Amino acid sequence: MTSTLDRTTPRDLTADLPARLSLTPMTTLVGRLDGAWWPRSRDLEAELPPLAAALEEPWGRVTRVTVNPTRWPVVPHTVAVHGRTLHVGWFTEQHPDTLILLSYTVGRWDLLVIPPETAPAAAARLMAAAVIPGSLLTAGMLMADEATGRGVRDAARREAAWEGEGGACAAPSEEPTGGSVHSLSANGRR
């Protein structure tokens, strides 16, 4: 079986770019996620070194990472990070949009992984939502909300366009004859 990497950014360029990362502020409120990460590609060997480097100061040395292989075409066993080895594991039980980071000295962190092909505006919304202190939203909830929210926004745009082009129902000019008159609220409900 052959595996093909879908690289949106060449590996050499990715290593020089900082990780696109948003971390939950240090508070006493504990949430489900510790932040969000928006990689530039689905190449873990290229993406993990900048992430580990960015996390070293605020969190300490990351020693292990786990992912769900659904989102990553190749999951290497180890990745070289600044002269040391980062161990990578995978679990199909782990949510596909979550990355778990482990450290011997500090603990565990769960990050929402925003797909590399996500539009910048959607990625910004997801990154902001993932770092709300004390939030009970999971990676699955955030990704579903983004997909659902996009659908709701698209439907609202289509409805506004339809009404703006004369598709809206005109208000009745007369009261109905021979029946009872019902008053309707502004949203059309009784």
Side-chain angles (χ1 to χ4, degrees), residues 1 38 61 64 68 77 93 96 103 108-109 112 128 148 160 182:
M1 178 173 134
W38 185 23
R61 180 179 283 188
R64 293 190 177 278
N68 182 315
H77 294 290
E93 296 82 16
S103 168
R108 169 188 167 155
W109 305 277
L112 167 69
T148 303
H182 301 283

Side-chain angles (χ1 to χ4, degrees), residues 3-8 11 42-45 72-75:
S3 192
T4 306
L5 290 177
D6 177 22
R7 291 192 189 127
T8 56
R11 185 176 285 182
R42 294 194 182 275
D43 182 356
L44 281 173
E45 255 183 295
W72 305 97
V74 175
V75 179

